[in-house]
Amino acid sequence: MTDLERAMADLAFIQQRMVASTRFDGLTPATVSATGVLALLAGVVQTMSPLLMATPLHFVGFWSLVALVAVALIGGEALARARRVHGSMAEQLIAGTLRILLPFLVAGAGLALLLLRVAPDSAWMLPGLWQVLIALAGLSAIPMLPRTILLPAAWYFGCGFVVLAACAGGGTPSPWSMALPFGVGQLLVGLALHRAVRAAAA
């Protein structure tokens, strides 16, 4: 290995260490909280529109659309903000965050497709399973996010099991088995981010 190659390897190692010790600041309290309000509004809309919960497919399809809108809002802002805040480290921080979160998103989508395909009568489990997955994603992302994220992660984890128990009778779940956990959960995430921003500015 030449001196130039050794120097390049050392620089790459230093950059990796810097990325590993840097908190991802692409998420903002306002946008994350807005997705909580979106979930609550979606619960009201679905409650008032029986067609949107006529079958498990309608229920899951509606909430999948809500989730896509929320991911687009958070993801779009996170990409733009990360490039402004983190500069040259933005791409690596984004990639690291995606490596943590993407498996949980894929697992949630895969569970929905599987249950709707082979066991639609078991679709009542999806809200609770999705909430547990969100909790695990939050806990896995703690090295890159403020430690205050523990509270919303605990909320999602607890809600997941409560919702599984409440919906165990089968049939199409209540809209509020999604709206309330995700609405309050995202507002708690927004609060956690807000507290982290205030602590950093103090």
Side-chain angles (χ1 to χ4, degrees), residues 6 11 14 34 37 47 52 89 134 137 158 171 177 188 200:
R6 188 177 296 107
L11 285 173
I14 292 170
V37 175
T47 300
L52 295 176
M89 291 196 301
I134 293 292
S177 67
L188 287 174

Side-chain angles (χ1 to χ4, degrees), residues 34-50:
T35 62
V37 175
L38 174 66
L40 294 172
L41 290 175
V44 173
V45 170
Q46 194 173 43
T47 300
M48 298 175 63
S49 306

Side-chain angles (χ1 to χ4, degrees), residues 163-187:
V163 168
L164 282 170
C167 296
T172 303
S174 163
W176 296 103
S177 67
M178 287 290 293
L180 192 58
F182 282 97
V184 175
Q186 292 302 93
L187 290 172

Side-chain angles (χ1 to χ4, degrees), residues 15 18-19 22-27 78-94 97 144:
Q15 188 174 37
M18 288 178 64
V19 169
T22 301
R23 192 180 75 194
F24 181 66
D25 288 326
L27 304 177
L79 289 173
R81 179 177 167 79
R83 291 190 175 98
R84 292 196 309 269
V85 174
H86 295 297
S88 61
M89 291 196 301
E91 299 299 329
Q92 287 179 284
L93 283 167
I94 292 168
T97 304
M144 303 191 73

